[in-house]
C-alpha cells in the first residue's frame, strides 16, 4: 500500500495539487459536468433509443455554471472564462422547452398515462383524448 500512498501524495500534496476552496469547486464542477454523460448513457440503454433526459440538462447547467465560477474567481484564466461564459444558455433553454412541453402534456382519462400535447389518442390504451388545441403562445 506504500506505492499507493506515494502515487497519491507527492511533495506533501495530494495529487501534487495546492488545494484551496476554488480548486475543490473546480473539481466538483468537472465531476457534475462529466456525470451528465453517465445519465444520458443510462437513459439511452434503458429505453434502447437515444434519450436526453432533463437531468442531463440540469447537470450541464450546474456543471457549466460551477466551472464558470471557478474560472472567474478561482483560476482567473480567460480561456476557461470564455469557454464557460455561454454554454449555459442552450442548457437553460432546453430546460425551459422541456418544462413547457411537460406542462402541456395530456393525461389519459382511462389509464392515466401522459401523452404529447398534440396527441389525439392515448399511446397506452388507445382512448381518444379530449381535443385541447395548443395555441402558438403556449407552444413557444
Amino acid at each position: 500500500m506504500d506505492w499507493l500512498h506515494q502515487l497519491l501524495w507527492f511533495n506533501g500534496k495530494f495529487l501534487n495539487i495546492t488545494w484551496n476552496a476554488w480548486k475543490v469547486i473546480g473539481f466538483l464542477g468537472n465531476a457534475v459536468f462529466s456525470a451528465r454523460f453517465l445519465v444520458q448513457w443510462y437513459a439511452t440503454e434503458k429505453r434502447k433509443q437515444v434519450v436526453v433526459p432533463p437531468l442531463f440538462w440540469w447537470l450541464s447547467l450546474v456543471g457549466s455554471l460551477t466551472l464558470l465560477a471557478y474560472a472567474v474567481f478561482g483560476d482567473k484564466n480567460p480561456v476557461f472564462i470564455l469557454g464557460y461564459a455561454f454554454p449555459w444558455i442552450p442548457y437553460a433553454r432546453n430546460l425551459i422547452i422541456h418544462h413547457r412541453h411537460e406542462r402541456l402534456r395530456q393525461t389519459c382519462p382511462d389509464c392515466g398515462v401522459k401523452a404529447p400535447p398534440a396527441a389525439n389518442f392515448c399511446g397506452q390504451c388507445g382512448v381518444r383524448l379530449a381535443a385541447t388545441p395548443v395555441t402558438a403562445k403556449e407552444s413557444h
Side-chain angles (χ1 to χ4, degrees), residues 17-134:
I17 297 170
T18 303
W19 290 92
N20 60 42
W22 284 111
K23 291 277 186 190
V24 172
I25 289 171
F27 277 105
L28 182 64
N30 239 334
V32 170
F33 197 72
S34 297
R36 68 198 187 122
F37 291 105
L38 296 174
V39 167
Q40 193 273 330
W41 184 20
Y42 174 78
T44 295
E45 290 294 332
K46 187 175 178 182
R47 295 216 17 215
K48 302 296 182 211
Q49 69 182 38
V50 177
V51 177
V52 182
L55 182 56
F56 177 90
W57 299 116
W58 279 110
L59 291 171
S60 299
L61 181 63
V62 171
S64 66
L65 290 176
T66 304
L67 288 167
L68 177 61
Y70 169 72
V72 169
F73 301 111
D75 195 38
K76 297 178 176 50
N77 183 323
V79 172
F80 291 128
I81 292 170
L82 183 61
Y84 290 105
F86 303 106
W88 63 270
I89 296 168
Y91 306 150
R93 179 69 178 141
N94 285 334
L95 285 167
I96 290 167
I97 290 169
H98 175 75
H99 174 74
R100 287 180 181 162
H101 181 78
E102 286 298 309
R103 190 184 66 216
L104 294 174
R105 287 180 69 123
Q106 305 176 67
T107 303
C108 174
D110 270 16
C111 68
V113 168
K114 295 236 177 201
N120 293 320
F121 296 93
C122 174
Q124 181 72 28
C125 67
V127 166
R128 183 159 185 70
L129 301 171
T132 53
V134 178

